[in-house]
Amino acid sequence: MSAVVVNLVGSVVLGAAVILVGVWGRRNAASLLPATLSTEDRRRKVVVYRRGALACQVAGVLLISVGVVSTLP
C-alpha cells in the first residue's frame, strides 16, 4: 500500500474513533458524574462534559478532513 492510502486510512479511522468518543461522551455526560455532587455542581459539570465531547467531535471531523485533503493532488 502506498503512503497516501495509509495516511488516509489512518486519519479516517482515528477521526472516526474520536467522533465516536465524542458521541458517547455527550450521551453519557450525566451518568459519568459522581452521585455525591450537588445539583448545581452536577448541572455545571454536565455542561462542561458535553462541551468537551463536542470538541472531540470537531477534532474527529478535522482529522478526517486532513486525511482526505492530504490525498488530493
Side-chain angles (χ1 to χ4, degrees):
M1 261 203 278
S2 73
V4 174
V5 174
V6 170
N7 186 24
L8 174 65
V9 171
S11 293
V12 169
V13 168
L14 183 60
V18 172
I19 288 172
L20 289 175
V21 167
V23 169
W24 175 82
R26 280 187 73 82
R27 274 194 196 146
N28 298 305
S31 65
L32 294 172
L33 294 169
T36 57
L37 288 175
S38 68
T39 305
E40 181 62 26
D41 286 340
R42 284 183 71 80
R43 186 189 60 75
R44 268 189 277 138
K45 292 271 188 180
V46 165
V47 170
V48 171
Y49 279 24
R50 287 189 176 146
R51 190 181 323 139
L54 179 62
C56 283
Q57 291 172 341
V58 170
V61 170
L62 288 174
L63 283 167
I64 291 172
S65 300
V66 165
V68 170
V69 168
S70 69
T71 62
L72 299 176

